Amino acid sequence: MSEPLLQFGPEIWTADGPVTSFHGFPYSTRMAVIRLSDGSLFVWSPVALSDPLRSAVEALGPVRHIVSPNALHHLFLLEWQSGFPAARLYATPRLRRKRKDLTVDAELGEAAAPDWADDIDQVVMHGSFALTEVVFYHRTSHTALFADLVQNFSHDWFKGWRGFLARRGGIVAPCPGAPKDWRASFLNRGSARASLDKILA
Ligand SMILES: [Fe+2]
C-alpha cells in the first residue's frame, strides 16, 4: 500500500483521497498538511479521513487548524472535526451559511490568521458572484495552494462527453486553468484584478 502522506516540500505534505462525484463528474481529491513553526499542523481542504491517514498525520504533530478554502470543499470537514476535537475549523462566510451543522470557529478573512501568519499568507479572490476562494501561500516551501480556482486534470481523466466539456472548460492538461464558467462569473473585474495582483505578488 502506498504511503498516505507524500512530502511535497519542506514542512508540507499532500494526501490523495478517494474520487468524489461533483454534478456527475468524477473528481480526484487532494489535501495539504503544513507544519507551522510552532509544530502544529495546518490541514488544508481535508480528504476522507482513513485510519492510515490519521496515523500519518498524527506522527507529524498536533492538528490545530482545519481549513476549507471555499464553499465547495466541505465534504470531510465534519469527520476531521470529530476526529481532532482540539482543532479549530476555519471556513469562508458562505460555507458557514451553507453548512449550518458545522461549528465554524473562525471565518477566513483578508489577512492571515495570527495563528499561521508567520508561515502562511492568504488572499481572498474577490469579484465572482458564484464562488469566492481563499488562496494560501506557504513561505517555507514557496507553495501556493489553489483548490478549484486553478484545475489541472490529466488529459484522459474525464471520459466521453465529460472529457469534451472538461477540455472546453479549460481544466485539462495541457491547457489547465480557472474553469471557464467560474471565470465568466467574475463580473467585478476591478476586485478580481486587485486580488490577482496580490496573489501574483
Ligand atoms: Fe475542488
Side-chain angles (χ1 to χ4, degrees):
M1 211 182 96
S2 60
E3 291 297 314
L5 277 176
L6 274 180
Q7 184 144 22
F8 183 79
E11 301 302 296
I12 183 169
W13 295 261
T14 61
D16 289 354
V19 174
T20 187
S21 169
F22 182 67
H23 296 305
F25 282 71
Y27 264 68
S28 50
T29 59
R30 178 171 295 165
M31 64 181 279
V33 180
I34 291 172
R35 186 160 52 198
L36 303 176
S37 307
D38 68 0
S40 71
L41 302 182
F42 172 101
V43 171
W44 175 89
S45 188
V47 300
L49 182 58
S50 64
D51 288 339
L53 178 57
R54 164 193 273 280
S55 305
V57 167
E58 281 173 344
L60 294 179
V63 174
R64 296 246 172 83
H65 316 289
I66 300 170
V67 179
S68 163
N70 67 36
L72 293 176
H73 282 223
H74 61 86
L75 296 177
F76 310 105
L77 297 175
L78 193 56
E79 56 194 74
W80 279 76
Q81 210 173 22
S82 317
F84 297 94
R88 282 161 61 82
L89 175 63
Y90 298 77
T92 58
R94 182 164 170 168
L95 182 61
R96 182 181 239 167
R97 293 194 296 275
K98 177 173 169 176
R99 287 287 306 268
K100 295 208 162 60
D101 58 315
L102 291 173
T103 304
V104 174
D105 296 293
E107 289 183 358
L108 294 165
E110 303 297 327
D115 291 330
W116 59 70
D118 287 346
D119 299 274
I120 299 169
D121 203 357
Q122 73 193 52
V123 175
V124 182
M125 184 67 203
H126 288 292
S128 164
F129 64 82
L131 192 63
T132 299
E133 179 168 313
V134 183
V135 178
F136 296 91
Y137 178 74
H138 179 224
R139 293 194 188 87
T140 306
S141 65
H142 308 286
T143 305
L145 296 171
F146 292 91
D148 300 303
L149 200 50
V150 178
Q151 299 184 26
N152 183 14
F153 290 90
S154 62
H155 192 74
D156 55 357
W157 177 260
F158 297 108
K159 312 289 183 202
W161 61 269
R162 291 187 176 88
F164 173 75
L165 287 184
R167 284 191 294 279
R168 251 185 87 208
I171 60 170
V172 174
C175 304
K180 282 202 178 122
D181 50 352
W182 190 2
R183 194 183 277 257
S185 75
F186 283 91
L187 296 186
N188 190 335
R189 311 292 289 179
S191 287
R193 173 57 61 187
S195 299
L196 183 59
D197 286 347
K198 274 193 221 166
I199 292 169
L200 292 173

